């Protein structure tokens, strides 16, 4: 089976825009769900809705793959699964190492979706000697002293960093020096890498802060709407107490 060291995805050489590349996994996830339900074909509108994009953007994205569907029939689900998987490089085995086996690293090691998506956790690495040899998700943890040898022995080109922020850059430097050219960074820090090394950052706190911004904006809009409704109601109330000529009616004697 091919490994990540000898085969690279063809997306860049074929001139597929990065924005399209970022959406391909969304299409693949939706298509995989359809395939599991034995759905043979899907329209661009249905697939776009399932992936959370508009159909015009989907058709444009698929045109970069050379896939245009069939009018009145739609797209062949199984063929698209294969086509996108091939474009993303998921039809081959990608050995991955996870460095930092704390709570997050252990959770990643136990994630069952790697194998079904073309990734194999080749090694778990941590600096704590107390963890060395202990199995996590059935894989014994190895010490960081052996990081370079582990990378070379397993032909690893993708590394996952789940260490504390203070250790992340040093780990990154060692991974790159050992031949890793793609890094998924969960550490809350920005990594500096040489040209030719790709880094994807996952920061849950930033995502939560963005959601907090949207919640605050929605609360502000609701408050503004309520404030705007109060004067209107008050105006309607004042006019209800006025007489036919607009004057406040005199109090009638009992």
């Amino acid at each position: 089976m091919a490994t990540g060291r000898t085969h690279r995805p063809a997306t860049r050489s074929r001139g597929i825009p990065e924005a399209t590349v970022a959406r391909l996994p969304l299409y693949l996830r939706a298509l995989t769900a359809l395939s599991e339900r034995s759905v043979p074909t899907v329209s661009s509108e249905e697939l776009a809705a399932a992936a959370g994009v508009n159909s015009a953007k989907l058709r444009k994205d698929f045109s970069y793959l050379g896939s245009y569907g069939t009018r009145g029939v739609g797209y062949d689900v199984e063929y698209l699964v294969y086509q996108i998987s091939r474009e993303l490089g998921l039809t081959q085995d990608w050995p991955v190492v996870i460095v930092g086996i704390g709570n997050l690293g252990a959770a990643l090691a136990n994630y069952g979706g790697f194998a079904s998506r073309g990734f194999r956790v080749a090694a778990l690495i941590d600096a704590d000697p107390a963890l060395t040899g202990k199995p996590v998700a059935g894989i014994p943890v190895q010490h960081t002293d052996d990081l370079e040898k582990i990378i070379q022995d397993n032909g690893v080109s993708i590394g996952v960093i789940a260490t504390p922020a203070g250790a992340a850059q040093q780990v990154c430097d060692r991974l790159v020096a050992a031949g890793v050219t793609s890094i998924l960074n969960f550490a809350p820090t920005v990594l500096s890498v040489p040209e030719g090394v790709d880094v994807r950052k996952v920061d849950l706190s930033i995502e939560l802060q963005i959601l907090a911004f949207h919640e605050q904006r929605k609360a502000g809009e609701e408050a503004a709407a309520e404030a705007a409704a109060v004067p209107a109601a008050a105006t309607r109330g004042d006019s209800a107490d006025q007489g036919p000529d607009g004057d406040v009616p005199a109090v009638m004697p009992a």
Side-chain angles (χ1 to χ4, degrees):
M1 179 175 288
T3 65
R5 183 57 56 83
T6 57
H7 290 74
R8 305 291 294 177
T11 52
R12 289 182 180 177
S13 62
R14 290 180 53 169
I16 300 178
E18 286 295 327
T20 295
V21 174
R23 287 189 290 269
L24 291 182
L26 303 179
Y27 301 140
L28 182 59
R29 181 174 60 189
L31 286 162
T32 301
L34 292 171
S35 176
E36 290 172 351
R37 287 161 33 207
S38 300
V39 176
T41 58
V42 62
S43 70
S44 58
E45 290 78 11
E46 292 169 334
L47 183 54
V53 303
N54 65 66
S55 57
K57 185 174 293 184
L58 177 143
R59 287 191 292 269
K60 179 66 173 177
D61 289 341
F62 284 0
S63 72
Y64 291 111
L65 307 181
S67 184
Y68 297 93
T70 303
R71 183 177 295 276
V73 177
Y75 293 94
D76 182 288
V77 170
E78 291 299 332
Y79 178 68
L80 265 185
V81 167
Y82 166 75
Q83 196 175 22
I84 295 176
S85 296
R86 182 187 62 185
E87 201 64 48
L88 289 173
L90 304 182
T91 55
Q92 58 203 45
D93 177 42
W94 291 99
V96 175
V97 296
I98 301 175
V99 185
I101 313 303
N103 291 334
L104 178 56
L108 293 171
N110 279 284
Y111 174 56
F114 286 131
S116 63
R117 290 167 172 81
F119 301 96
R120 172 176 56 85
V121 178
L124 306 177
I125 304 173
D126 197 276
D128 185 356
L131 289 177
T132 302
K134 290 188 175 181
V136 175
I139 303 173
V141 176
Q142 301 181 66
H143 196 269
T144 50
D145 287 349
D146 300 320
L147 183 148
E148 287 79 7
K149 184 176 186 303
I150 294 167
I151 299 298
Q152 292 164 7
D153 288 350
N154 290 279
V156 174
S157 58
I158 300 177
V160 178
I161 297 178
T163 66
Q169 185 62 58
Q170 182 183 12
V171 168
C172 175
D173 292 342
R174 290 182 63 187
L175 288 172
V176 171
V180 169
T181 51
S182 292
I183 294 173
L184 181 61
N185 178 33
F186 284 89
T189 187
V190 176
L191 298 177
S192 176
V193 297
E195 186 176 353
V197 176
D198 295 309
V199 176
R200 298 287 295 183
K201 181 171 174 55
V202 180
D203 194 322
L204 300 181
S205 64
I206 287 179
E207 299 303 324
L208 286 171
Q209 288 168 21
I210 293 172
L211 290 176
F213 164 80
H214 290 296
E215 285 301 309
Q216 177 175 259
R217 186 186 64 181
K218 285 184 285 189
E221 291 172 350
E222 291 173 1
E226 291 174 0
V230 171
T235 301
R236 289 195 299 272
D238 291 344
S239 61
D241 293 334
Q242 293 177 350
D245 296 326
D247 298 327
V248 177
V251 178
M252 299 298 291

